[in-house]
Amino acid sequence: MSKDVFSPKERLLRVLNKQEVERQPVICPGGMMNSAIVDIMNKTGHVLPEAHHTPELMSALARDVNEYTGFENFGVPFCMTVEAEVLGSDINFGTLRCEPKIQKEAFDAVSQVEFKPLGSMEKSSRVGSVVQSIYMLSRKYPDIPAIGSITGPLSTAASIVDPMPFLKQLRKDKENAHKVIDYVTDHLLEYAQLMIDNGASVISIADPTATGEILGPKMFEEYAVKYLNKLVDGIHSMGVPAIIHICGKMEAVKPLVAQLHGDALSVDAFVNLKNIKENYNDVTTMGNLSTIMLEQSDTESIRKRAEMLIHDNINILAPACGLSTTTPLENISAFTETVKLQ
């Protein structure tokens, strides 16, 4: 068993800066990878959907998650709808067991998008709840990293434009598609700046629409790599590292991974992270314990899988994707405890 040398914040930042640590961090960054599970909410009384709107409740629930799961960070918000709401889409805020979703996209086509001025994020009450909760958490618990989770450019664009026409228009109306994604990215940069100004020590970007299976290599490079890198470069200019999560099997786009400017790459459970480490030495790997395993398996199987990831020298241990709200707390604890007992 190792003796911890670094605080959770120091450990995570050192890994993202490619510096040595005494063991891997184990985190769950929020947003798509929300770990506000029913077991915790029932235990504490800090519940969703109310906590989506109130900074005091949001920060309390983020603290509950950190305390009960053993994940070594705070991760907010608890959904992927904040950005789309600001840019005009209708949101269903869900229930205790069901996360928010896009009720109706604001536009039917990229050519119809009405561009809101910069400053819209700062005026949003939901953005206010997120950044105020980051402020509270980072001030009260300075040794624990507050991760601000942002929905990636393509996924945000597909949340304000009906996604089926949107994906076709990436090919058929490239000029307007680029304009919309670039516009979205500018607003995401404003959102990131607000998070960082209020104490976020890392920004995590989840872009589930930006997959090789959906886009193919050519469009992945044209759209996903281009705008993710614009977003990450802007975050870097603010002095903070960025994590990128990409969904899907990645076989079709694996050679493009090295072009991404993120400080760590998080991937789905069926991606071989050991193989990525061997082929792309400069990529800091994050993941990728199956969320199906976390929900449905037993603690012993989870411990064994965690030990494999540790043995493979995956740099940051984390769930592979979004957690089910019904995931048993004891399963998550088995995961985080195994990492900490190295």
Side-chain angles (χ1 to χ4, degrees):
M1 175 175 154
S2 68
K3 180 176 175 60
D4 284 355
V5 174
F6 301 107
S7 72
K9 183 175 177 179
E10 288 171 330
R11 186 180 300 110
L12 180 59
L13 291 178
R14 285 182 68 88
V15 170
L16 293 172
N17 286 319
K18 301 187 186 302
Q19 296 173 302
E20 288 188 5
V21 288
E22 82 285 28
R23 66 166 175 84
Q24 292 107 316
V26 56
I27 67 169
C28 193
M32 184 185 74
M33 296 165 77
N34 159 43
S35 49
I37 58 171
V38 171
D39 277 0
I40 293 173
M41 290 188 283
N42 283 338
K43 193 184 291 280
T44 66
H46 301 137
V47 299
L48 299 171
E50 289 82 359
H52 292 304
H53 305 278
T54 309
E56 293 81 8
L57 262 179
M58 187 179 292
S59 57
L61 183 52
R63 174 57 181 158
D64 295 340
V65 169
N66 164 260
E67 181 179 352
Y68 285 100
T69 63
F71 286 127
E72 299 177 297
N73 69 287
F74 302 123
V76 293
F78 304 114
C79 70
M80 300 182 73
T81 63
V82 176
E83 303 89 346
E85 183 183 10
V86 175
L87 299 179
S89 292
D90 295 332
I91 310 302
N92 179 330
F93 290 102
T95 65
L96 183 86
R97 292 176 175 271
C98 182
E99 294 178 359
K101 61 183 179 182
I102 308 298
Q103 182 96 344
K104 187 178 190 312
E105 295 80 12
F107 308 102
D108 294 326
V110 289
S111 60
Q112 297 174 8
V113 173
E114 298 170 11
F115 289 23
K116 292 194 173 188
L118 287 175
S120 299
M121 288 287 173
E122 191 169 10
K123 295 174 183 175
S124 161
S125 62
R126 282 195 73 206
V127 168
S129 293
V130 174
V131 299
Q132 286 175 56
S133 71
I134 289 172
Y135 180 86
M136 294 173 187
L137 291 162
S138 63
R139 295 306 183 275
K140 191 170 183 180
Y141 308 101
D143 290 336
I144 299 172
I147 300 179
S149 187
I150 288 180
T151 306
L154 274 166
S155 299
T156 301
S159 297
I160 66 167
V161 178
D162 187 323
M164 292 308 292
F166 172 76
L167 292 170
K168 293 176 183 176
Q169 288 153 13
L170 293 177
R171 290 188 177 89
K172 295 182 177 180
D173 191 358
K174 287 176 179 275
E175 181 180 356
N176 281 313
H178 276 288
K179 284 180 181 177
V180 169
I181 303 167
D182 194 55
Y183 152 75
V184 162
T185 306
D186 286 340
H187 282 277
L188 298 180
L189 281 166
E190 180 190 329
Y191 188 22
Q193 182 75 71
L194 291 166
M195 289 177 163
I196 292 163
D197 287 348
N198 283 276
S201 43
V202 177
I203 299 295
S204 177
I205 305 158
D207 209 349
T209 303
T211 72
E213 289 94 323
I214 292 174
L215 299 177
K218 186 178 177 182
M219 288 208 302
F220 185 87
E221 185 171 22
E222 180 178 356
Y223 290 107
V225 173
K226 178 176 181 176
Y227 293 104
L228 281 168
N229 282 348
K230 176 179 175 177
L231 180 54
V232 169
D233 290 348
I235 291 165
H236 284 166
S237 74
M238 302 169 198
V240 165
I243 295 165
I244 295 174
H245 176 85
I246 300 290
C247 288
K249 295 180 180 178
M250 291 191 69
E251 284 301 319
V253 297
K254 196 182 288 184
L256 298 168
V257 161
Q259 294 184 26
L260 292 169
H261 295 174
D263 300 283
L265 177 67
S266 165
V267 296
D268 260 336
F270 31 68
V271 175
N272 187 328
L273 271 178
K274 183 180 180 182
N275 179 262
I276 287 179
K277 281 184 71 70
E278 290 169 350
N279 287 281
Y280 306 98
N281 293 330
D282 289 338
V283 175
T284 297
T285 50
M286 173 172 150
N288 67 339
L289 188 71
S290 165
T291 51
I292 296 173
M293 173 178 275
L294 278 168
E295 181 187 14
Q296 299 178 4
S297 192
D298 58 273
T299 57
E300 185 57 31
S301 298
I302 289 165
R303 290 183 193 279
K304 286 180 180 177
R305 177 59 185 156
E307 287 167 358
M308 284 182 62
L309 292 168
I310 293 164
H311 181 265
D312 289 343
N313 293 315
I314 305 311
N315 301 101
I316 302 168
L317 280 294
C321 203
L323 286 166
S324 167
T325 57
T326 57
T327 301
L329 179 55
E330 65 176 357
N331 286 2
I332 298 175
S333 297
F335 175 35
T336 59
E337 287 166 5
T338 302
V339 180
K340 293 176 183 180
L341 287 172
Q342 293 178 61

